[in-house]
Amino acid sequence: MAHPALPAPRPELPPVHGAVICVSAPCLVISPEHGQLTGRGMEGIYRSGRRLLSRCVLRVAGREPVAVQGRSTGADRAVFTAAVRTGAEAGPDPDIGVERVRHADGTERIVLRSFNARPVRLPVEVLLGTDLADLAAVAAGRAGPELPAGVHAAGLRWSTGDAQAVTTADPAPDDALASAGLLRWQLDLQPGESRTIELRTTQSRTARAPAGQVANPLADARAECDDPRAEAWFRSSAADLGALLLRDREEPADAFAAAGAPWRLGLAPAESLWAARMALPLGTGLAAATLRTLARTQTGGRGPDTGKIPGPLRGAGPQLPPGCTGTEATLAFPAVLAEARRWGLPDPEVEPLLPAAERCLDWLRASLDEDGFLPDPDPGPRRCETQAHAHRAALLGADLLDAYGRPGGPHWREWAAALRDRFRQRFWIDGPDGGRPAAALHPDGRPLPRLTGAAAHLLDTGLLGGGRLAPGLLDPVRTEQLARLLGAPAMDCGWGLRSMAVREPGHNPFGHRSGAVRPHESAVAVAGLAQAGFEKEAAALLRGLLDAAEGFGYRLPEMYAADQRTAGSAPLPHPAACRPAAVAAAAGIHALTAAAGIRPDAPAGTVAVAPLPGAPLGALRLSGLRVAGEPFAVRVSRLGLGMVEEAADALQLGG
């Protein structure tokens, strides 16, 4: 019997999960671990999605240095160490040390140090080249050949009809050969002496590309912990999130977090809102700016999409996991605004955003299907997490409307109560083991009985006044059953929460929604379980995330394979994952602040602290946070007792 023909293979993304990535949006540098930019795959220096330099190969004394180590030293910089044996000294020991410090802004400092016992004349060459290709073309394997270079006063330049790049050197080279893309120096080094060559790659012949494009609205907070890895994770998470900030072109004073590097270094509304929400302990500035940016994109006029926040504004492409949808962004908008107010977003910043939040709720009302659930996409399944997002939007939106004397609060609370009844009747699948929530309802009403990580969103109810949490879609008995399911090995792989349980049909440990760990979903589970009182399950997921963060150098990718953890194993990267990614970076902040259990109500002048009992990471101190616009510090003892050490004078401990 003839087998059906396989579809034509689609191009695969060039692998970058082993690369050293420096980012300070919109600047990006992708380097192999040895540090030589060879022009292969995604290697290169990028700005605003354009590859300015694809090849930068260093030769010392006629040979390429032997790579020793390559490592990130910050979100926007990396150091590559190498050695050269010139033969001037007998024996196997290198006699020239090479250090290359590479920055996201396209600056590279090459330091050569002589270990020789006598003076040495050192020939140094740098081979440069570029195709000036768009990042999307590079990712799809459609980058063109290298362009011919021209000699610049202190380096080389390349140009096409719509782009140019310039690499300058300091000191200027002794010789520049445009036909070979070659810069040459003859350096005289005394014993122990160092010489430095600085390369700068920009789009302009004169201007240096700035590294930071926006003022970082995130507070310079820090974590101190008995487990020192927590401090490294918190610090790296905040740095990566700050490195992904981009200006809104319409209002350059407003910044948002790009979805991730290298594939989605642009606005993806749901991811940007989730990152801003998880980063609220570092201040409300990012949330406010992100909300303003998205309010300007909200669909107007009359029609089925009126009031909706559009989906990703940069296409992911066929090789990438599907992005979050406009439905998620629209439902997140009023919830993030309401919670930002609880953390201290002042009324003059909240009030201009209220009409956009009301339009989001109007869209929700108009988009409900006849069965009272929200499809995503429409027409399509009624996902369990979408109902949770809608429920949270309704309750936190009602809280917001009431606070500013706007109509609609009672209606949305009644609607949320009715949704809770419908959800428990239609989505919960009873069974001898206690049952489970359906992953979704088919359009014809049949439940999809798969257990997925998206069920963690049922525990994420949102913050109301006085440190209270909004009610959830599940009652206490079903909440306890869900906590048990999420904490079992079928879902907790030891590195975080799987996006689908192991024995479900179609399980794939690399699957974006069918098995892989998504750190932000794991952090949502940690916070939700902690708030619901399930400390054992929350603590296990928190420790697994921290272990995974260590395995990835404290820069978690947006997802990674969920193979079961065993002795000596390590988390496995997903070849199409962004790293850094905004939601994965913010997950570190969210998970660690969830361990401290901070629940502010800035409008009422109170803050409650409900730490995770048992202190799973030992004693923990978070300082430099922001509540009500002022510095906030909290300490959790080894017994799990919380104490506020610093807070705004107007805040009272309560809740």
Side-chain angles (χ1 to χ4, degrees):
M1 183 172 65
H3 294 283
L6 293 174
R10 63 189 183 190
E12 293 294 336
L13 291 169
V16 295
H17 50 270
V20 180
I21 294 180
C22 306
V23 61
S24 180
C27 302
L28 172 69
V29 180
I30 303 174
S31 308
E33 194 174 13
H34 53 68
Q36 299 273 44
L37 299 181
T38 66
R40 290 191 289 268
M42 293 289 295
E43 294 174 18
I45 296 173
Y46 297 80
R47 180 173 173 83
S48 300
R50 174 81 65 176
R51 181 154 67 178
L52 302 185
L53 197 67
S54 58
R55 188 161 57 98
C56 183
V57 176
L58 174 68
R59 292 177 182 166
V60 179
R63 68 196 68 188
E64 292 191 24
V66 176
V68 175
Q69 184 187 71
R71 61 190 179 92
S72 294
T73 57
D76 64 343
R77 61 193 181 278
V79 175
F80 304 93
T81 305
V84 177
R85 191 170 71 86
T86 64
E89 301 284 349
D93 298 337
D95 52 354
I96 300 293
V98 181
E99 182 182 80
R100 304 173 72 172
V101 182
R102 187 169 291 154
H103 292 258
D105 68 355
T107 303
E108 178 171 339
R109 190 177 71 251
I110 302 171
V111 180
L112 301 111
R113 182 182 177 190
S114 174
F115 304 129
N116 278 287
R118 57 182 63 86
V120 62
R121 171 160 288 187
L122 202 62
V124 177
E125 298 178 334
V126 176
L127 289 86
L128 303 171
T130 188
D131 47 21
L132 288 177
D134 287 329
L135 187 148
V138 178
R142 293 186 284 101
E146 284 192 359
L147 299 168
V151 175
H152 183 67
L156 300 174
R157 60 180 173 83
W158 304 263
S159 62
T160 63
D162 61 346
Q164 75 165 359
V166 176
T167 297
T168 59
D170 183 16
D174 300 322
D175 194 13
L177 300 177
S179 60
L182 182 65
L183 306 180
R184 287 176 174 162
W185 295 260
Q186 291 283 347
L187 302 180
D188 293 316
L189 279 79
Q190 298 297 318
E193 186 181 10
S194 297
R195 295 288 299 274
T196 299
I197 297 171
E198 185 172 274
L199 305 175
R200 297 179 180 177
T201 299
T202 67
Q203 291 174 303
S204 163
R205 300 187 185 192
T206 56
R208 177 177 179 177
Q213 297 302 300
V214 296
N216 191 337
L218 303 172
D220 186 19
R222 62 175 300 183
E224 302 165 76
C225 189
D226 283 346
D227 188 332
R229 300 175 304 162
E231 180 175 353
W233 186 24
F234 190 90
R235 181 176 61 248
S236 179
S237 295
D240 281 345
L241 191 57
L244 290 169
L245 296 182
L246 283 172
R247 290 184 188 274
D248 178 23
R249 292 183 179 180
E250 289 189 32
E251 292 290 341
D254 286 340
F256 58 87
W263 317 119
R264 291 199 283 260
L265 201 57
L267 178 62
E271 285 96 330
S272 297
L273 279 172
W274 270 98
R277 182 191 180 208
M278 289 179 160
L280 280 171
L282 304 187
T284 60
L286 179 59
T290 303
L291 289 164
R292 287 193 293 265
T293 297
L294 294 180
R296 289 188 282 269
T297 75
Q298 192 172 32
T299 304
R302 296 180 179 275
D305 285 341
T306 300
K308 188 174 185 180
I309 305 293
L313 300 186
R314 179 166 297 199
Q319 310 101 320
L320 291 171
C324 292
T325 66
T327 296
E328 291 177 75
T330 307
L331 298 176
F333 191 100
V336 173
L337 179 58
E339 290 195 308
R341 176 175 174 266
R342 293 296 175 192
W343 280 90
L345 186 64
D347 289 343
E349 293 190 64
V350 175
E351 289 174 342
L353 292 166
L354 289 174
E358 288 176 309
R359 288 192 290 271
C360 289
L361 294 173
D362 289 342
W363 173 86
L364 169 59
R365 180 189 292 112
S367 301
L368 294 170
D369 208 359
E370 293 178 356
D371 58 7
F373 296 117
L374 185 64
D376 185 29
D378 185 15
R382 291 92 169 109
R383 303 180 188 275
C384 77
E385 69 270 28
T386 302
Q387 315 319 310
H389 298 330
H391 184 256
R392 185 190 314 113
L395 287 176
L396 271 62
D399 193 48
L400 199 59
L401 296 174
D402 286 352
Y404 291 93
R406 292 178 176 249
H411 161 78
W412 284 112
R413 270 186 285 274
E414 291 171 6
W415 180 85
L419 177 61
R420 289 195 291 274
D421 291 338
R422 287 194 302 275
F423 189 90
R424 294 168 190 177
Q425 292 171 11
R426 301 286 304 282
F427 268 82
W428 191 263
I429 303 170
D430 290 317
D433 61 349
R436 61 170 61 183
L441 298 183
H442 290 284
D444 62 8
R446 291 179 297 115
L448 179 64
R450 293 178 185 168
L451 179 61
T452 68
H457 292 276
L458 298 174
L459 302 173
D460 179 25
T461 58
L463 185 63
L464 296 177
R468 294 178 299 110
L469 299 166
L473 281 173
L474 301 179
D475 58 28
V477 173
R478 292 181 174 92
T479 298
E480 182 177 2
Q481 170 65 3
L482 177 58
R484 186 184 68 80
L485 292 170
L486 296 181
M491 288 298 293
D492 181 356
C493 69
W495 305 112
L497 187 73
R498 305 179 202 267
S499 55
M500 184 186 289
V502 168
R503 295 181 181 176
E504 298 292 349
H507 171 80
N508 175 359
F510 284 94
H512 177 243
R513 289 185 178 270
S514 56
V517 173
R518 299 193 293 172
H520 83 282
E521 207 161 67
S522 294
V524 165
V526 169
L529 289 164
Q531 291 165 356
F534 298 99
E535 61 175 280
K536 177 183 175 183
E537 292 81 1
L541 286 173
L542 175 60
R543 286 190 290 262
L545 273 179
L546 179 56
D547 292 342
E550 181 186 23
F552 285 109
Y554 303 105
R555 174 180 273 182
L556 283 171
E558 64 179 320
M559 58 183 167
Y560 47 92
D563 278 334
Q564 188 64 42
R565 183 174 181 174
T566 58
S569 67
L572 299 176
H574 189 294
C578 287
R579 180 172 174 261
V583 289
I589 298 164
H590 191 59
L592 290 171
T593 53
I598 305 165
R599 302 179 189 176
D601 186 357
T606 66
V607 61
V609 175
L612 190 60
L617 305 181
L620 172 67
R621 182 175 186 266
L622 300 175
S623 59
L625 306 178
R626 288 291 184 275
V627 177
E630 298 290 337
F632 184 85
V634 62
R635 182 185 296 275
V636 180
S637 74
R638 293 184 180 92
L639 299 177
L641 301 176
M643 180 177 67
V644 174
E645 292 189 334
E646 183 181 16
D649 291 339
L651 284 179
Q652 299 294 321
L653 189 62

